[in-house]
Amino acid sequence: MGKSIIEKIWERHIVAAEENKPDLLYIDLQFIHEVTSPQAFEGLRLKGRKVRRPDRTFATMDHNVPTINRYFIQDEIAQKQLSALEQNCKEFGIRLADLDSPEQGIVHVIGPELGLTQPGMTIVCGDSHTSTHGAFGSIAFGIGTSEVEHVLATQTLWQTKPKTLKLEVNGKLGKGVNAKDVILYIISKFGVDFGTGYIIEYCGEVFENMSMEERMTVCNMSIEGGARAGLVAPDETTFSYIKGRKYAPKGEEFERAVEDWKSLASDEDAVYDREIVLDGSAIPPMVSWGTNPGMASGVDAMIPRESDGTFDPVELKNALQYMGLKEGQAITDIEVQHVFIGSCTNSRIEDLRQAASMLEGQKVHQGVRAMVVPGSQNVKKQAEEEGLDQIFKAAGFEWRDSGCSMCLGMNPDGVPAGEHCASTSNRNFEGRQGAGARTHLVSPAMAVAAAITGKFVDIRTWEAPTVGAH
Amino acid sequence: MEPIKVFTGKTAVMDRKNVDTDQIIPKQFLKRIERSGFGQFLFFNWRFDEEGNDRPDFELNQEQNKGASILIAGENFGCGSSREHAPWALLDYGFNIVIAPSFADIFRNNCMKNGIVPIVLTEEQVAELMKKGVESGYELTIDLPNQKVYDQSGFEAEFEFHPYWKEMLVNGWDEISITEQYEEQIKSYEQQKMPISSI
Ligand code: SF4
């Protein structure tokens, strides 16, 4: 019987396998950020432990950092957390992309960008969207602070082997439909917990045709479907993305690595615990209307009614009340006051290029506040070299420094209570973007269209106002 | 970590599905660098109004749920982020046990690392406990070694629990010291099997 890529990577990393115990798994790479690590380092200090492999650990600052005047941190506790990370990295010898570093950015954006994220690896971070790194054909998952400490001390984790789920999407995506729509569609169809206990392998024509950036968008939101990890088998797209990046293997070492990475793909006769097959051409541009990512519909649909029976009546009622929406209301009737392009789901250079390409000569709708927060300082620099910042600014977008920003609003960025935000981030939980804020998860293209029109439009048929018209 | 063997306590019922970690402990409280003191912020946005007063309709503010140490909740409890601040807040508030039809994976792990026992019962069993739990002073007993939940009025259910995590919780062990006993294996793995590439 053949093996799936999930089993192959898992087996390669087993340090000890004993009866009645989870496997002791070797971790190739751990990312660290300021919010979930201070207590882990404190734990090490209390017990006099060291970091076993500082060379397999990489830290950045992202959640708390301001996106304007980044050195002027008014929030004292946030400043304390950033200083703690700096101090801990110095004390334990860990590389840190701090506020001064051109490499600083959202942890899940910089890992791939710097070539740290590579196929076949086991990767962890004290952050649930670590699943993003699965786009490279690695097993990457979020962990809690105790596990962060465990990996720092031992470079291993006790893990029970998850079940495997093969999620195949075939066919071609429609015009204006992209990776974000695909993953929102999947979660809305199968629910926010369909992936619990599984690692997902995304395969089929749709994922094969995606760029690395799009694959990252999909894998990023695996956790929104309950799966700790999701991955795509590495292929030429993966290898050419990695080649030449700062920490990627070079020359002959790279060639050897590629040979090895090629062997990771699932065998033809691999068996999975569950398989799902979908038709990509049936996927519409998606908009979330509720308070979890499963509460999303095609832009041409109506908000579900209690009588449809697709949602728990109490959950539906609470969600619509929070969102200030009504059952049966058309999605295209929802007006937005904020647009946020950013977060580890959609803030990479390709996302910004796509967004900017729709903005040439356009203006942000009156009464809409729109903001672009690049995923990393590298993305920011690249975008500025391409003149994208000028396009955004000319259209009326704010252009910021990199960080998590309005994705969760731990820094000063946020959405006021009762106002609606078209957001390219990954979570629309109550209060996520600010107390009472109403988040709608969308793709960058849908977010730009919402910025121009002030509401959601079906970008398959929508035509941007003619340049220069009033 | 305090060992947990047989535990009896008052219950609180939270009949909601997909309770996410952003609700359990909102982001504005993640900036602390300690593990303690999070209980006061548990379910902050649901628990308090804008003026900081208790919202009377929120479950944990209701009289019959005061002083509870066992939380009975709906499916997919703890979904969302990996913040361990969620179990820290639950524990600090006074919950040692959470019972639900299902849990999000990372949250479940985080609970076990902190001495909270996440127990999965069937939907029917949870529904029955929710019904019983609204009575004031309703108590449950959790026998972790024997993997049983029971009350004084005839409810009894068995639950599954991985033997490894059970051993950890029952003994209150520090997991890192256990793993340190595998130093030889880890070393030999690093010498023989590390991936070719350096980073
Ligand atoms: S961008 Fe948002 S989801 Fe991503 S790591 Fe930052 S806070 Fe988490």
Side-chain angles (χ1 to χ4, degrees), chain A residues 62-63 106-108 127 129 220 343-345 403-404 407-408 426 432:
Chain A
D62 52 9
H63 285 66
I106 305 172
V107 62
H108 311 308
D127 191 285
H129 293 102
N220 175 274
S343 93
C344 58
T345 318
C404 292
C407 172
L408 93 165
N426 46 41
R432 175 88 178 172

Side-chain angles (χ1 to χ4, degrees), chain A residues 112-291:
Chain A
E113 192 172 79
L114 296 173
L116 289 159
T117 302
Q118 295 168 22
M121 282 182 163
T122 45
I123 302 174
V124 297
C125 172
D127 191 285
S128 58
H129 293 102
T130 309
S131 59
T132 313
H133 306 263
F136 290 78
S138 58
I139 292 185
F141 53 93
I143 55 178
T145 299
S146 297
E147 290 174 313
V148 170
E149 185 181 338
H150 192 279
V151 177
L152 286 173
T154 68
Q155 206 59 33
T156 63
L157 270 182
W158 294 95
Q159 292 288 308
T160 35
K161 198 170 161 193
K163 290 178 284 183
T164 55
L165 194 165
K166 180 180 182 182
L167 208 160
E168 190 175 327
V169 185
N170 297 311
K172 294 243 179 320
L173 297 179
K175 180 182 160 240
V177 177
N178 64 37
K180 184 63 161 288
D181 303 304
V182 174
I183 188 66
L184 278 172
Y185 176 81
I186 291 168
I187 299 165
S188 71
K189 203 170 164 69
F190 299 102
V192 286
D193 57 356
F194 82 97
T196 304
Y198 290 94
I199 293 182
I200 301 174
E201 179 181 355
Y202 299 98
C203 58
E205 208 183 332
V206 162
F207 302 113
E208 282 161 22
N209 288 337
M210 281 184 182
S211 66
M212 286 318 295
E213 266 128 330
E214 291 175 291
R215 291 177 191 178
M216 285 188 250
T217 301
V218 171
C219 290
N220 175 274
M221 289 191 70
S222 303
I223 182 71
E224 262 39 84
R228 279 180 89 180
L231 55 76
V232 179
D235 58 11
E236 290 305 325
T237 309
T238 323
F239 309 143
S240 60
Y241 179 98
I242 297 172
K243 196 171 181 178
R245 292 191 182 261
K246 183 165 174 188
Y247 294 102
K250 306 269 152 36
E252 219 178 285
E253 205 195 336
F254 181 77
E255 300 308 322
R256 264 195 323 223
V258 168
E259 275 322 297
D260 177 53
W261 294 340
K262 281 183 179 160
S263 71
L264 292 169
S266 295
D267 300 331
E268 289 278 328
D269 54 343
V271 177
Y272 296 79
D273 294 302
R274 187 177 172 195
E275 298 193 23
I276 293 175
V277 183
L278 295 171
D279 171 15
S281 66
I283 301 175
M286 299 289 293
V287 178
S288 80
W289 44 261
T291 52

Side-chain angles (χ1 to χ4, degrees), chain B residues 109-127:
Chain B
N109 274 347
N110 285 343
C111 280
M112 295 189 292
K113 311 276 165 156
N114 289 281
I116 297 183
V117 191
I119 295 175
V120 175
L121 295 181
T122 65
E123 274 194 43
E124 294 72 42
Q125 288 165 337
V126 171

Side-chain angles (χ1 to χ4, degrees), chain A residues 317-444:
Chain A
K317 199 176 124 252
N318 286 345
L320 293 182
Q321 190 178 5
Y322 179 84
M323 294 297 291
L325 298 171
K326 294 202 169 49
E327 53 173 19
Q329 191 177 344
I331 302 250
T332 46
D333 280 349
I334 303 173
E335 292 183 1
V336 304
Q337 294 78 41
H338 299 264
V339 172
F340 171 62
I341 297 179
S343 93
C344 58
T345 318
N346 285 117
S347 65
R348 299 182 178 81
I349 188 68
E350 206 176 86
D351 299 311
L352 303 195
R353 281 184 193 136
Q354 198 207 359
S357 74
M358 295 170 63
L359 274 172
E360 207 106 29
Q362 299 293 335
K363 283 265 181 266
V364 168
H365 195 264
Q366 217 184 1
V368 173
R369 176 199 188 203
M371 187 194 280
V372 186
V373 181
S376 69
Q377 290 301 85
N378 267 322
V379 169
K380 184 177 186 231
K381 185 163 153 260
Q382 174 75 28
E384 287 173 355
E385 279 166 17
E386 295 177 21
L388 305 184
D389 60 322
Q390 296 306 327
I391 300 175
F392 283 118
K393 284 192 258 187
F397 272 82
E398 294 172 34
W399 178 251
R400 298 293 189 94
D401 279 323
S402 62
C404 292
S405 177
M406 221 159 36
C407 172
L408 93 165
M410 271 188 82
N411 76 342
D413 308 336
V415 176
E419 301 196 359
H420 293 260
C421 178
S423 176
T424 65
S425 56
N426 46 41
R427 281 189 180 138
N428 50 342
F429 295 150
E430 283 182 30
R432 175 88 178 172
Q433 295 192 295
R438 294 165 171 168
T439 304
H440 300 276
L441 305 175
V442 287
S443 70

Side-chain angles (χ1 to χ4, degrees), chain B residues 59-123:
Chain B
E59 292 90 324
L60 297 188
N61 291 335
Q62 290 161 1
E63 210 40 52
Q64 78 268 19
N65 289 330
K66 295 264 163 78
S69 51
I70 300 172
L71 183 64
I72 306 171
E75 65 182 40
N76 199 28
F77 188 81
C79 60
S81 99
S82 64
R83 57 188 73 162
E84 201 158 311
H85 313 69
W88 294 338
L90 284 164
L91 196 64
D92 192 49
Y93 182 88
F95 288 114
N96 296 83
I97 314 275
V98 187
I99 299 177
S102 60
F103 291 93
D105 286 333
I106 305 178
F107 174 79
R108 207 192 58 223
N109 274 347
N110 285 343
C111 280
M112 295 189 292
K113 311 276 165 156
N114 289 281
I116 297 183
V117 191
I119 295 175
V120 175
L121 295 181
T122 65
E123 274 194 43

Side-chain angles (χ1 to χ4, degrees), chain A residues 12 18 21 26 39 49 52 75 81 118 145-146 150 158 197 315 408 410 427 430-432, chain B residues 18 22-23 27 30-31 34-35 46 80 84 105 110 164 174-175 179-180 182-183 189-190 197:
Chain A
R12 279 181 175 203
E18 295 167 21
K21 278 194 180 166
Y26 197 81
Q39 295 87 350
R49 289 177 172 131
R52 182 182 180 89
D75 181 340
Q81 220 167 41
Q118 295 168 22
T145 299
S146 297
H150 192 279
W158 294 95
E315 230 192 339
L408 93 165
M410 271 188 82
R427 281 189 180 138
E430 283 182 30
R432 175 88 178 172
Chain B
N18 300 317
D22 280 56
Q23 307 316 319
K27 56 179 178 229
L30 306 183
K31 290 174 184 163
E34 304 84 19
R35 275 177 203 256
W46 285 348
E84 201 158 311
D105 286 333
N110 285 343
Y164 173 79
D174 164 30
E175 201 186 7
T179 311
E180 281 171 343
Y182 289 79
E183 178 56 27
Y189 180 93
E190 286 176 328
S197 115

